[in-house]
Amino acid sequence: MRRVLVTAIALSLVLAGCYQGDSSQEDLVGFVVPLGEMGLSVDAEAIEFWGNWSPIEEEEEVVFSWDLEGQSFFAGLRVSCGDTDLLLQSLNWRIMGPVGAEVLVLEPVFVDDPEALGFCEASLLVRSLTKDGHGSMARCRVAGLEKGAWGRELLQMEAGALMTGQVLIEDAGDAELRLRLPLHALVLKPESGSAGEQLLGSLPMGEELVLEQFDGGEPEWITLVTFELSGEGERLTISLP
């Protein structure tokens, strides 16, 4: 496993080098994700597989989560303008640069909302799992944006600290569970489980979290409980009936 080095310096080198004089540079728009600065490690193989990723369509919503078998990488994007969260319609990405210094650029398309007024803020949650099943999650942000700026230029996101919240599900048996973060259109699977317990770690504070179980019915995923973690390092235990 090696680190993906993504920095503003790397970005400038890529744009000045690999794309110098290339007319396609005019098409480079979206959010530059500083994975390397977020303290996350990502397999080189995972980067190669991202090109095969596609969103999960679920009834009236689309879940934009990288969650292909073997990738162990999850990401969810949220953009709010004033008091309004924009609805994510589609999400593409590009990987630029030489091996060992890849730059990941997200290119989102949002449903136009005339009620979304004022400056905008973008927030991306990224979670990476290691081969032993343990994960880490971090957030990166960029604020003070004009509405639609991400469709006209490249915007460098700033990395935040790793997250430490945890949820332990007891009496889970062999139930297939997941944790959904609605505002980020993000879905997470438990990191590990034993003796009827399942653990989800590195979770964000102050964000709506929805624990769901797969039952094969209609709808296929049913909501068990909705909650928030209020403090850094909090560990919440949920016992299933």
Side-chain angles (χ1 to χ4, degrees):
M1 182 173 290
R2 59 173 172 74
R3 268 197 190 288
V4 178
L5 303 176
V6 184
T7 64
I9 295 177
L11 174 63
S12 64
L13 290 175
V14 169
L15 295 181
C18 299
Y19 289 84
Q20 188 173 19
D22 188 343
S23 60
S24 65
Q25 182 173 342
E26 298 177 358
D27 299 328
L28 296 176
V29 298
F31 297 106
V32 180
V33 181
L35 288 178
E37 298 176 17
M38 296 166 77
L40 302 176
S41 294
V42 181
D43 283 330
E45 185 179 6
I47 296 177
E48 297 176 4
F49 284 145
W50 289 348
N52 298 321
W53 174 87
S54 60
I56 305 168
E57 297 184 5
E58 297 188 348
E59 297 182 357
E60 297 180 356
E61 67 176 342
V62 178
V63 178
F64 293 94
S65 300
W66 282 285
D67 186 13
L68 291 178
E69 184 177 354
Q71 291 194 32
S72 299
F73 180 81
F74 306 78
L77 178 67
R78 172 190 182 187
V79 171
S80 57
C81 300
D83 297 328
T84 304
D85 290 310
L86 299 183
L87 178 62
L88 188 59
Q89 189 174 32
S90 65
L91 180 63
N92 298 316
W93 66 95
R94 300 188 186 190
I95 298 174
M96 306 181 298
V99 175
E102 294 91 345
V103 174
L104 175 63
V105 178
L106 299 181
E107 303 174 358
V109 175
F110 293 92
V111 177
D112 186 34
D113 189 338
E115 296 184 1
L117 303 174
F119 286 103
C120 305
E121 175 179 336
S123 172
L124 178 75
L125 291 178
V126 180
R127 181 171 182 251
S128 177
L129 300 186
T130 58
K131 292 181 180 179
D132 61 4
H134 295 288
S136 57
M137 176 179 275
R139 187 196 307 270
C140 58
R141 304 175 190 259
V142 59
L145 307 175
E146 292 185 0
K147 184 179 177 182
W150 48 86
R152 302 188 297 268
E153 59 184 307
L154 281 173
L155 303 169
Q156 177 73 42
M157 305 192 86
E158 297 183 0
L162 292 177
M163 300 175 179
T164 60
Q166 293 184 330
V167 172
L168 177 66
I169 301 113
E170 295 182 333
D171 303 319
D174 58 357
E176 183 177 353
L177 303 174
R178 72 179 191 182
L179 196 63
R180 187 162 58 90
L181 286 68
L183 292 181
H184 281 81
L186 176 62
V187 171
L188 306 178
K189 292 184 178 180
E191 295 179 17
S192 59
S194 62
E197 295 183 343
Q198 297 188 30
L199 176 67
L200 289 131
S202 304
L203 300 176
M205 306 296 109
E207 175 140 356
E208 182 183 14
L209 305 172
V210 181
L211 181 63
E212 298 180 329
Q213 179 177 349
F214 183 80
D215 73 349
E218 191 66 39
E220 294 182 335
W221 291 93
I222 60 173
T223 298
L224 299 179
V225 62
T226 300
F227 61 96
E228 291 185 4
L229 296 175
S230 58
E232 193 67 28
E234 179 182 356
R235 181 179 178 124
L236 178 67
T237 298
I238 297 176
S239 297
L240 298 185

